[in-house]
Amino acid sequence: MKSETKNIIIVFEFIIIISIFFIINILKPDDKISVYERRKLASFPEISLENIFEGNISNQLEEYAMDQFVSRDVFRKIKYYFNTNILKQKDTNKFFIKNDGIYKIEYPLNEIALKKSTQKINNVIDKYLKGMNICYAVIPDKNYYLQDEYLKIDYDKFISIVKDELKDIKYIDLFSELSIEDYYRTDLHWKQESLENVASKISLELNSQNRFNSNYEKIKLGNFYGTYYGQALVDVNPDNLIYLNNDIIENCITYNYENKKANKVYDLEKYENSNDKYDIFVSGATSLISIENPNAKTSKELIIFRDSFGSSIAPLLLENYSKITLIDLRYINSKILNDFIEFKNQDVLFLYSTIVLNQDILK
């Protein structure tokens, strides 16, 4: 009898707990974004006959329930702790910790997507860049520098495919110029303060010149919790966010074609106001932005087709150019580029990470 009573009490308590969570979730206003994950959260789906008949409504409701669950981030932390410390899994949702750094498994090599990415680069070259000075470089994700016990793509095969597809373009090898220390521990990106040798190599390969002046002041803004920290939601020490500055960079002006605003190269307000503080570099993810160097010793211009890694290295290339134009083909269709840019014998650099090229996301 005591055992039956105990079981009834346990079931009753469980029902109460579930009911409380259910009521709180109904009453709680929906969150629009996840600050930690830097993404929009799912909203309640539109209930329509079309959605119901197409079978979309159940998946949309499931996505909405997972995104809007009360104390979601707390449960994400509990899940990571349970999976790694109790179940002894190496990763949770593809994230894992190594030497106080957060990594995301980038696997497998998607050959179809990679070839589509390189084909889109070839299309841009054929349409706009014939006869121009063109180079390309691939930025390895930081998993490249880990030991082989972790799943990662076949980088040799990756580069071999890229070289086969981009046969007539000069390749700049950056793999040997970087190390694991050159990347943020809590983020996927490289550290700007570690890129002077990379910038020198790119400058030399592009126009056979070293930079005129590499005297930079290292300015520390403070703690930096990167994208991986928010997505994995694990407790590790923050990075330091440091940027390099000198008179040349300080006097340059950027122009954002999206919001039609001029700004400094480093948008320091982003450190205080942006969910992703890496956005201080050339205002973050932007489809099309130019940087004018009024003190340039040359009239030469550079066009960089890039992903987010390009934001932090572009300022270090300014010394050799009067103007740098940054194009992010994830956010602008290549078919309309000549509506904004006059292609006229500029130097051209295609600079993409393995993460982006391994997806079919260029337009």
Side-chain angles (χ1 to χ4, degrees):
M1 188 67 179
K2 288 183 179 181
S3 178
E4 289 182 7
T5 303
K6 181 180 178 181
N7 290 338
I8 291 171
I9 292 173
I10 291 173
V11 170
F12 185 70
E13 289 176 343
F14 178 76
I15 292 172
I16 290 176
I17 292 171
I18 294 296
S19 300
I20 290 172
F21 269 100
F22 179 74
I23 294 170
I24 292 174
N25 274 294
I26 290 176
L27 297 177
K28 181 184 80 72
D30 289 349
D31 296 317
K32 292 184 178 180
I33 63 168
S34 170
V35 174
Y36 283 113
E37 297 171 90
R38 278 89 159 172
R39 69 176 181 88
K40 291 181 179 180
L41 296 175
S43 56
F44 192 82
E46 179 185 354
I47 305 299
S48 66
L49 290 176
E50 182 181 356
N51 257 351
I52 294 172
F53 287 135
E54 290 182 357
N56 298 326
I57 194 69
S58 59
N59 291 334
Q60 292 173 357
L61 282 170
E62 182 180 359
E63 183 181 0
Y64 169 75
M66 289 190 296
D67 274 6
Q68 299 297 341
F69 193 81
V70 65
S71 300
R72 177 173 173 270
D73 291 333
V74 173
F75 285 101
R76 287 175 59 220
K77 281 190 174 183
I78 293 172
K79 178 185 177 183
Y80 187 91
Y81 179 86
F82 182 80
N83 287 350
T84 54
N85 291 277
I86 307 301
L87 300 181
K88 301 299 181 182
Q89 295 179 357
K90 280 191 172 182
D91 67 276
T92 297
N93 296 331
K94 294 189 174 183
F95 289 99
F96 61 93
I97 305 295
K98 178 74 174 178
N99 298 330
D100 200 36
I102 308 172
Y103 298 82
K104 184 179 180 181
I105 294 173
E106 300 292 344
Y107 182 86
L109 170 58
N110 188 337
E111 292 188 39
I112 294 175
L114 178 57
K115 289 180 179 179
K116 286 183 177 180
S117 296
T118 53
Q119 182 56 54
K120 288 170 184 175
I121 292 174
N122 279 323
N123 291 343
V124 171
I125 294 171
D126 290 340
K127 185 170 183 178
Y128 302 112
L129 310 176
K130 285 292 188 179
M132 295 172 68
N133 178 34
I134 309 170
C135 295
Y136 75 92
V138 177
I139 305 165
D141 62 86
K142 62 183 181 178
N143 295 0
Y144 172 78
Y145 300 98
L146 289 178
Q147 297 300 316
D148 291 336
E149 61 184 288
Y150 297 96
L151 274 176
K152 50 189 177 181
I153 63 175
D154 185 336
Y155 294 95
D156 290 336
K157 185 175 183 181
F158 188 102
I159 294 300
S160 177
I161 292 172
V162 173
K163 286 182 175 180
D164 285 343
E165 297 296 318
L166 303 177
K167 292 179 181 178
D168 301 323
I169 316 174
K170 184 178 182 181
Y171 171 61
I172 304 174
D173 182 10
L174 299 183
F175 281 66
S176 59
E177 301 295 325
L178 296 162
S179 68
I180 193 64
E181 289 77 20
D182 298 328
Y183 294 78
Y184 295 112
R185 290 178 300 97
T186 64
D187 196 76
L188 70 159
H189 294 107
W190 53 15
K191 303 174 186 175
Q192 191 196 47
E193 68 268 24
S194 300
L195 299 182
E196 288 191 58
N197 62 321
V198 175
S200 291
K201 183 167 187 177
I202 290 174
S203 293
L204 186 63
E205 296 287 347
L206 269 172
N207 54 30
S208 301
Q209 296 181 33
N210 285 313
R211 287 166 296 143
F212 302 119
N213 172 21
S214 58
N215 295 319
Y216 295 111
E217 179 185 3
K218 290 185 178 181
I219 302 174
K220 181 179 176 181
L221 286 177
N223 289 343
F224 173 56
Y225 293 92
T227 300
Y228 282 176
Y229 177 86
Q231 292 175 347
L233 209 62
V234 294
D235 290 324
V236 297
N237 293 320
D239 287 291
N240 290 318
L241 189 58
I242 297 171
Y243 68 94
L244 302 179
N245 206 8
N246 59 19
D247 289 340
I248 293 174
I249 298 174
E250 183 64 27
N251 290 317
C252 289
I253 298 296
T254 68
Y255 180 76
N256 188 319
Y257 286 76
E258 289 184 9
N259 59 27
K260 299 181 180 180
K261 290 183 178 180
N263 206 342
K264 293 279 193 179
V265 171
Y266 300 118
D267 189 352
L268 300 183
E269 288 186 6
K270 298 284 188 181
Y271 185 77
E272 301 296 334
N273 302 324
S274 176
N275 290 330
D276 188 351
K277 300 186 186 306
Y278 185 78
D279 287 347
I280 70 157
F281 298 107
V282 200
S283 299
T286 306
S287 60
L288 187 58
I289 195 165
S290 64
I291 312 172
E292 299 272 359
N293 179 5
N295 298 314
K297 298 178 181 180
T298 174
S299 60
K300 195 69 177 176
E301 296 183 12
L302 171 64
I303 296 174
I304 305 179
F305 292 87
R306 55 83 180 221
D307 53 30
S308 53
F309 282 77
S311 295
S312 53
I313 196 170
L316 308 187
L317 301 173
L318 279 165
E319 296 173 56
N320 282 334
Y321 295 99
S322 62
K323 181 179 181 180
I324 294 180
T325 302
L326 300 173
I327 303 171
D328 196 331
L329 294 179
R330 295 174 299 171
Y331 307 119
I332 186 171
N333 196 307
S334 61
K335 295 178 181 178
I336 63 170
L337 289 178
N338 57 353
D339 292 344
F340 303 95
I341 301 169
E342 181 184 358
F343 294 96
K344 53 175 184 179
N345 197 36
Q346 298 100 329
D347 286 344
V348 180
L349 174 65
F350 288 90
L351 182 65
Y352 286 107
S353 64
T354 54
I355 298 171
V356 166
L357 290 178
N358 202 40
Q359 306 174 62
D360 182 19
I361 56 177
L362 303 183
K363 296 180 181 180

